[in-house]
Amino acid sequence: MPAASTPESRKRWRWIAITGTALVVTAAGVTMASAATSSVPNIRFTKVYYNSPGTDTRSNTSLNAEYAQVTNKGRTTVTLTGWTIRDATGHVYRLSGTLPAGHSRIVHTGRGTDGRPNGHRYWQSGNYVWNNTGDTATLRTNKNVVVHTCKWGNSGSYTTCTAPAPAPVTSTRTVPPAPSKSPIPSMPPATGPMSAPPSMPPIEWD
């Protein structure tokens, strides 16, 4: 009866993940596939007016002059229900409804009636949300995925938010295996006396 195989003799193929890249060894070579990323709609901040004009009196007019603008830069309508806008200190506004392609949603800090005018929403806050001395607006999906952040410093009254960096693209490519090299055959050791090379005939000159 043959001896039972030892654990060392059992070979298992495993996925090897190195910095988000998977390597699969096949007969055709090594297949490299970058890690897939979840697709998120192209929704982002386009403008935040964090320092309303005039003196900060906390009047509703002054509060509503402070706002964050979110724009759908994609090609399809996106449902925003469950999405959130947050500042650096934890104030949260929950979005709702849909946002058609190419349209914007403007969220004012103060009180008002949502949808008046069309596309405008209200935080219903009695205090300012965005800091004049610097803050960060964060947009998250209903699955708490950060879609975009917009930052500013302690100068100016508003900022035009830059587009987020593009997400990595999933790609697959196969690296052909290296050609095998045949070992160079070793020469047998010399035995016996070495024979002298044959002598060359003398050169005759005309």
Side-chain angles (χ1 to χ4, degrees):
M1 183 174 181
S5 60
T6 62
E8 290 77 8
S9 65
R10 300 171 186 170
K11 296 181 180 180
R12 299 178 180 177
W13 292 99
R14 296 182 180 179
W15 293 97
I16 304 174
I18 304 175
T19 318
T21 302
L23 303 181
V24 183
V25 181
T26 66
V30 180
T31 299
M32 304 179 65
S34 60
T37 56
S38 59
S39 177
V40 292
N42 192 4
I43 310 291
R44 65 179 181 88
F45 292 111
T46 46
K47 185 178 183 179
V48 177
Y49 208 116
Y50 51 85
N51 186 5
S52 54
T55 305
D56 291 343
T57 60
R58 295 186 185 178
S59 68
N60 197 51
T61 300
S62 178
L63 290 170
N64 280 336
E66 179 185 88
Y67 62 84
Q69 178 176 291
V70 176
T71 303
N72 183 351
K73 292 289 187 176
R75 297 182 179 180
T76 58
T77 297
V78 176
T79 298
L80 296 181
T81 301
W83 289 47
T84 58
I85 295 175
R86 303 166 186 262
D87 72 341
T89 58
H91 295 95
V92 179
Y93 176 82
R94 299 189 181 280
L95 294 158
S96 61
T98 59
L99 186 59
H103 288 239
S104 294
R105 179 71 49 82
I106 298 175
V107 180
H108 300 272
T109 297
R111 297 180 176 87
T113 302
D114 290 341
R116 296 185 181 178
N118 187 33
H120 292 248
R121 299 292 187 272
Y122 299 87
W123 206 301
Q124 310 295 350
S125 173
N127 201 356
Y128 299 98
V129 171
W130 308 112
N131 292 333
N132 300 346
T133 55
D135 209 337
T136 301
T138 302
L139 179 66
R140 296 174 183 262
T141 68
N142 57 347
K143 295 183 179 180
N144 208 32
V145 176
V146 175
V147 175
H148 192 205
T149 58
C150 183
K151 300 181 180 181
W152 59 90
N154 58 0
S155 62
S157 297
Y158 67 90
T159 183
T160 301
C161 305
T162 58
V169 178
T170 301
S171 62
T172 302
R173 61 187 180 93
T174 300
V175 180
S180 59
K181 297 181 180 179
S182 302
I184 300 174
S186 58
M187 299 296 292
T191 58
M194 296 289 291
S195 58
S199 59
M200 299 294 292
I203 300 174
E204 297 181 357
W205 301 94
D206 294 337

